[in-house]
Amino acid sequence: MDLHSKKVIGFSIATSMTTQLVMDALDNATLNNCPKNVILHSDLGSQYTSQTYQDQVKEHEMYQSFSRKGCPYDNASIESFHASLKKEEVFHHHYLNFKAAKESVFKYIESGYNRQRINSSIGYLTPEAFELQSKAVG
């Protein structure tokens, strides 16, 4: 998530939390024109602290920042997003299979959250609209 615009710029979905999953999410973010020299913040999970992932972060010319152990408030924006995703999408559906769940979550993020859902912390705009407005001004 870009903390400036609140736009979800990189994500990946899998049945387990692995290093490959977070590497895929990072690759997804870089495909969406995530700039270099940004701070990539996460918790201290083994996926994020693995040498493989750290090497990939450096390859993309990014810097890592970590939440303190047991302190989800250090990454409140993404925790809030995950709560919204669960309340507004996941808990309202019984998915027939993993593929259906993956497609539904993708649609929620790309079509709903980023482009239709307003956010009070960015002036009641959608993340997409706020990002476009910021690029026009800056």
Side-chain angles (χ1 to χ4, degrees), residues 47-111:
Q47 305 84 356
Y48 302 109
T49 57
S50 71
Q51 191 61 53
T52 306
Y53 185 72
Q54 289 181 24
D55 290 345
Q56 185 177 15
V57 169
K58 287 177 186 170
E59 183 180 311
H60 288 299
E61 299 177 43
M62 297 175 174
Y63 303 95
Q64 280 187 284
S65 166
F66 297 103
S67 300
R68 293 169 289 175
K69 186 174 181 169
C71 192
Y73 303 109
D74 287 350
N75 210 358
S77 291
I78 202 66
E79 296 291 344
S80 177
F81 165 74
H82 286 142
S84 296
L85 171 64
K86 291 173 187 174
K87 288 187 280 188
E88 297 171 6
E89 172 60 34
V90 175
F91 295 158
H92 290 278
H93 295 90
H94 178 74
Y95 304 107
L96 297 176
N97 53 42
F98 179 72
K99 182 181 178 200
K102 192 172 180 176
E103 289 172 0
S104 189
V105 170
F106 174 85
K107 183 178 176 183
Y108 171 83
I109 293 170
E110 291 297 339
S111 298

Side-chain angles (χ1 to χ4, degrees), residues 1 8-13 17-42 47-48 50-64:
M1 173 181 284
V8 176
I9 58 170
F11 62 95
S12 186
I13 302 165
M17 187 66 167
T18 64
T19 299
Q20 188 60 53
L21 173 68
V22 297
M23 290 175 62
D24 290 346
L26 180 57
D27 283 341
N28 184 267
T30 59
L31 288 174
N32 287 320
N33 299 315
C34 181
K36 295 181 184 327
N37 298 315
V38 298
I39 298 170
L40 185 63
H41 188 76
S42 67
Q47 305 84 356
Y48 302 109
S50 71
Q51 191 61 53
T52 306
Y53 185 72
Q54 289 181 24
D55 290 345
Q56 185 177 15
V57 169
K58 287 177 186 170
E59 183 180 311
H60 288 299
E61 299 177 43
M62 297 175 174
Y63 303 95
Q64 280 187 284

